[in-house]
Amino acid sequence: MNKKKIFSLALTLICLVVFCSGCDFSKKKSSVDLQSMMQIASEINKACPVFVDSDTRLDNVLALPDKKLKYNYTLVNLAKESIDTAILKTNLEPVIIKNIQVSKEMETLRDNDVIFIYSYKDMNGDPVIEIEITPDLYKGN
C-alpha cells in the first residue's frame, strides 16, 4: 500500500471524528453500559454506509459486551493482496489513538475506558486488519 493510500486512511479517521461530531456522546450518561453504547452505535449507523473518503466506507458501528465499540470499514478500491498490513497498522494506529485522545465527542467513552476496535475489510469482503485501541493506549498508561 502506498503512502497516498495510507494518508487517505488517516484522513478517513479525522473525517469520522468530524462526522461523529453530530453525535454528541458527551451528553450521554456519565457511565457507559452496553445499552448506552448501543444507542451511540445506532446514532452513527443512521448515516451508514457512508464514504469517508474515495477509498474508505464506514459500513456500521457495533456495540459489543465489555465496553467495546467496533467500527467496520471497507477499503472499496483495494484487494487484500495489495495491502501491507504491517505498514498500514504502523501508520494508522497513532492517528486513531490521537483522534480518540483529542475528540471532545469521545470524552465520555474515554472516561469510561471503552475499547475501540477498527476493523477493515477489502473490496472483496476479506478481512484485512483489525486494530484494537485499549484505554492504556489512549490514556498513555
Side-chain angles (χ1 to χ4, degrees):
M1 176 179 274
N2 64 32
K3 288 184 179 186
K4 183 178 177 186
K5 296 283 185 193
I6 292 170
F7 180 74
S8 177
L9 287 173
L11 283 177
T12 296
L13 295 169
I14 294 166
C15 291
L16 179 62
V17 170
V18 171
F19 167 72
C20 289
S21 65
C23 308
D24 193 355
F25 306 148
S26 63
K27 293 184 181 175
K28 299 288 179 204
K29 296 185 256 183
S30 60
S31 66
V32 174
D33 59 11
L34 184 57
Q35 183 65 33
S36 62
M37 288 182 53
M38 288 173 65
Q39 290 173 341
I40 291 167
S42 178
E43 286 181 41
I44 297 170
N45 287 335
K46 288 177 185 176
C48 290
V50 62
F51 278 87
V52 291
D53 66 27
S54 62
D55 294 314
T56 314
R57 180 182 70 220
L58 175 62
D59 297 318
N60 59 45
V61 178
L62 302 172
L64 304 172
D66 301 321
K67 294 197 288 188
K68 292 182 180 181
L69 201 57
K70 183 176 183 180
Y71 295 85
N72 293 304
Y73 293 94
T74 298
L75 303 172
V76 297
N77 298 315
L78 297 171
K80 185 176 183 172
E81 304 78 41
S82 68
I83 301 169
D84 184 329
T85 56
I87 291 174
L88 181 62
K89 182 177 182 182
T90 299
N91 286 285
L92 276 181
E93 191 172 272
V95 174
I96 293 170
I97 292 169
K98 187 66 173 176
N99 285 332
I100 292 169
Q101 289 172 331
V102 302
S103 171
K104 182 181 180 207
E105 292 77 26
M106 292 184 165
E107 182 177 10
T108 299
L109 299 174
R110 282 192 311 266
D111 291 347
N112 284 277
D113 296 332
V114 169
I115 296 169
F116 298 91
I117 302 168
Y118 291 78
S119 180
Y120 294 86
K121 60 183 178 181
D122 74 357
M123 61 194 285
N124 301 312
D126 294 327
V128 173
I129 191 171
E130 189 166 280
I131 301 172
E132 184 173 288
I133 307 297
T134 57
D136 61 312
L137 291 173
Y138 60 81
K139 289 185 174 184
N141 296 337

